[in-house]
Amino acid sequence: MKVTVKLFGTLRSRVPQYDVTAGIDLVFENPVNVRQIVSHLGLPEKQIGIVTINEIMARAGDPVPDNALVRIFQPLTGG
C-alpha cells in the first residue's frame, strides 16, 4: 500500500528525505494506522498535534487507506 505524507511546521526538518513540495511517499506491505506512520518517520508522538487522512481529522489508531494523503501538523500554540 502507498501513502503520501505531508508534514507541517518544524516536523519537516525531522525527516531528512522530506520534500516540502511533494511530501514523502511511503510504501507498506501491510495495512497501517496513523501511529505506525508517525513511528516509521521517527517523529515523537508528543510533537504531533493534528493529523488528517484525506482531509478528515484522524486519531493515532485510525487505519490509513491505500493511496491516502496524510497530513501531520505540530501542536498549535499562541495566544
Side-chain angles (χ1 to χ4, degrees), residues 58-78:
R59 297 180 188 187
D62 288 349
V64 179
D66 190 26
N67 293 311
L69 171 60
V70 177
R71 291 187 170 117
I72 303 175
F73 299 83
Q74 67 187 41
L76 303 175
T77 60

Side-chain angles (χ1 to χ4, degrees), residues 15-74:
V15 180
Q17 68 273 28
Y18 185 75
D19 180 317
V20 176
T21 305
I24 186 169
D25 290 329
L26 302 175
V27 177
F28 299 96
E29 290 185 27
N30 299 310
V32 294
N33 62 33
V34 171
R35 181 178 287 117
Q36 290 167 311
I37 290 174
V38 168
S39 176
H40 179 82
L41 293 172
L43 301 172
E45 282 193 43
K46 61 184 169 186
Q47 290 187 2
I48 306 300
I50 297 170
V51 177
T52 65
I53 301 172
N54 297 330
E55 308 290 332
I56 298 171
M57 295 276 286
R59 297 180 188 187
D62 288 349
V64 179
D66 190 26
N67 293 311
L69 171 60
V70 177
R71 291 187 170 117
I72 303 175
F73 299 83
Q74 67 187 41

